[in-house]
Amino acid sequence: MASSSALSLRSSSSATASNPAVGGQRQRLIILGTGWGGYSVLRNVDKSLYDVVVISPRNHFLFTPLLASTTVGTLEFRSIIEPVRNVGFRQSDHFHLSEAMDLDVKNKVVTCQSVIDRSTLYNLEYDKLVISVGAISNTFGVPGVREHTFFLKEVSDARAIRNRILSNFELALHPGISEEEKKRLLHIIIVGGGPTGVEFGAELYDFVKEDVSRLYKQEQGHVQVSLIEGRKILGAFNKKLQQYAEKKIRARSQMELIQANVSSVQADSVTLSDGRTIPCGLVVWSTGLAPRPFVESLDLPKNQQGQLLTNRRLQVAEVDDGSIFAIGDCGEIEEDPLPCTAQVAERQGRYLAKLLAHQGPASDLPPYQFQGFGMLAYVGDYKALADTPAMKTQGFSSWVLWRSAYLTRLGSWRLRMQVPIDWTKTLLFGRDTSRF
């Protein structure tokens, strides 16, 4: 239940939840989150029918497929984020830099906490609610993961990784550092062989090949990258493409593919399930998803992974008036489970915007059905994988497709200008290794 001590901000609309607008009054639509799903709803919903209020701890949309490129300076951080306020709100206070903390389904109230002033709690009433808060990295209860590893979900994560990489290179040059310690500092471990882990490894490979060889010549030979995956890398990809990626990784002298599980992580090493201990200077953890505390706290039907269960119209189960929707990584369609990808969340957001604009019962509209474009992954050295309904390809041509596809999917023309400029600067002048 929402806290009674929180400030209550009432909705100006009394319209019923079955109709977007009654008597000319707008309903209040609250969107939780500014990830792929929530941002897609925000951009596509008919704002003449709703007062759209967004609650999120970040005030930007992040183009996550290119996040790994910022960890080594191939792209700059601001080149892949778009301020949410650029979409436009009816009133400036319709965006809240806050987190949803509690939900009162019966009274249709969300309790929020400011991320700027944690002492500020307040309630917001809604007519319809979109839960699109995403998920967090799953540690699987492995000791030391929270304390000693880096995740790669947000711009702040990418910046922290970039600073650690550069700090370790500079520290390895200090007088009195032994050869053994240099090797430890410059040994980077990636746990998880999904697209994020593989693409981060690919960016590291390019960084070492193109920039470390130029800027840190004496240390280049100490660099080692280990990718740890308990099963097959890129498990969702075509088998032939998996084998191509694995072959490329194994062929690189300073990259290693280890098929094992991690049993614990220490400040300076990783221990594997087979008893081996690998010294390292950086561990990036990318092994799956877990629900956010807010979703975990909700007394609503969930699957075994903690995702909110919905029907095919993305309405959360057991909410009688159908006023709550869950999209993206925090929800799962009960009859049709889908992968947790940006593409799925973005398409769900588009569908939900149409459903919210519908002047009648949701059952009048056809259910959501996902039709994907396929998957892309960068494997380094200007080579990529393309696993689409039309083709299964790898190599340079797939890299061209990878860059072209992502360029067209960026959230604004501003980003579509900035990203090619960054790519060009990197090609001509190398990556920026400034530490700040």
Side-chain angles (χ1 to χ4, degrees), residues 51-83:
D51 283 328
V52 182
V53 177
V54 175
I55 301 165
S56 176
R58 70 182 193 197
N59 70 345
H60 59 268
F61 163 73
L62 169 63
F63 192 81
T64 50
L66 292 177
L67 184 59
S69 296
T70 66
T71 59
V72 294
T74 306
L75 295 176
E76 287 306 318
F77 306 115
R78 292 192 181 276
S79 296
I80 61 168
I81 58 176
E82 181 67 20

Side-chain angles (χ1 to χ4, degrees), residues 142-145 261-266 269-273 277 285:
V142 176
V145 172
N261 294 313
V262 174
S263 59
S264 65
V265 181
Q266 295 76 40
S269 64
V270 165
T271 301
L272 303 182
S273 53
T277 297
W285 190 271

Side-chain angles (χ1 to χ4, degrees), residues 204-217:
L204 280 173
Y205 173 76
D206 289 349
F207 174 60
V208 171
K209 182 180 176 182
E210 298 168 7
D211 296 273
V212 172
S213 60
R214 176 173 56 90
L215 302 172
Y216 301 95
K217 293 179 183 179

Side-chain angles (χ1 to χ4, degrees), residues 130-160:
V130 178
I131 303 175
S132 182
V133 296
I136 59 176
S137 296
N138 196 336
T139 67
F140 298 100
V142 176
V145 172
R146 289 283 174 204
E147 297 84 358
H148 304 303
T149 71
F150 292 76
F151 303 111
L152 190 49
K153 298 281 289 179
E154 301 287 345
V155 168
S156 57
D157 298 329
R159 183 178 177 184

Side-chain angles (χ1 to χ4, degrees), residues 82 185 287:
E82 181 67 20
L185 286 168
T287 61

Side-chain angles (χ1 to χ4, degrees), residues 264-335:
S264 65
V265 181
Q266 295 76 40
D268 58 358
S269 64
V270 165
T271 301
L272 303 182
S273 53
D274 60 11
R276 280 185 292 168
T277 297
I278 305 175
C280 58
L282 167 66
V283 181
V284 175
W285 190 271
S286 177
T287 61
L289 302 175
R292 290 191 180 276
F294 170 72
V295 173
E296 211 168 16
S297 71
L298 298 179
D299 186 20
L300 292 168
K302 304 184 187 81
N303 63 10
Q304 289 185 340
Q305 289 73 44
Q307 295 169 294
L308 294 166
L309 291 174
T310 74
N311 60 21
R312 288 182 177 272
R313 290 174 180 83
L314 310 179
Q315 295 166 310
V316 173
E318 297 184 13
V319 178
D320 294 337
D321 63 358
S323 60
I324 302 179
F325 306 85
I327 60 176
D329 295 349
C330 66
E332 179 183 82
I333 301 173
E334 195 166 5
E335 304 91 349

Side-chain angles (χ1 to χ4, degrees), residues 31-173:
I31 301 171
L32 305 182
T34 52
W36 282 91
Y39 189 65
S40 180
V41 176
L42 175 63
R43 292 186 68 188
N44 293 287
V45 72
D46 186 345
K47 295 180 180 65
S48 67
L49 300 175
Y50 295 94
D51 283 328
V52 182
V53 177
V54 175
I55 301 165
S56 176
R58 70 182 193 197
N59 70 345
H60 59 268
F61 163 73
L62 169 63
F63 192 81
T64 50
L66 292 177
L67 184 59
S69 296
T70 66
T71 59
V72 294
T74 306
L75 295 176
E76 287 306 318
F77 306 115
R78 292 192 181 276
S79 296
I80 61 168
I81 58 176
E82 181 67 20
V84 172
R85 289 190 181 275
N86 286 354
V87 175
F89 290 90
R90 182 170 285 107
Q91 294 175 202
S92 56
D93 64 352
H94 281 178
F95 174 78
H96 296 252
L97 198 61
S98 300
E99 286 184 279
M101 303 301 292
D102 197 5
L103 174 62
D104 184 340
V105 176
K106 182 180 178 181
N107 295 308
K108 293 189 173 182
V109 173
V110 181
T111 300
C112 307
Q113 182 182 46
S114 169
V115 298
I116 301 169
D117 178 5
R118 288 292 182 180
S119 66
T120 300
L121 282 173
Y122 56 92
N123 294 336
L124 288 176
E125 293 185 356
Y126 65 86
D127 295 299
K128 293 186 178 177
L129 176 69
V130 178
I131 303 175
S132 182
V133 296
I136 59 176
S137 296
N138 196 336
T139 67
F140 298 100
V142 176
V145 172
R146 289 283 174 204
E147 297 84 358
H148 304 303
T149 71
F150 292 76
F151 303 111
L152 190 49
K153 298 281 289 179
E154 301 287 345
V155 168
S156 57
D157 298 329
R159 183 178 177 184
I161 291 170
R162 188 161 159 182
N163 277 339
R164 173 61 71 89
I165 291 171
L166 295 173
S167 296
N168 285 358
F169 270 99
E170 296 298 337
L171 184 56
L173 292 168

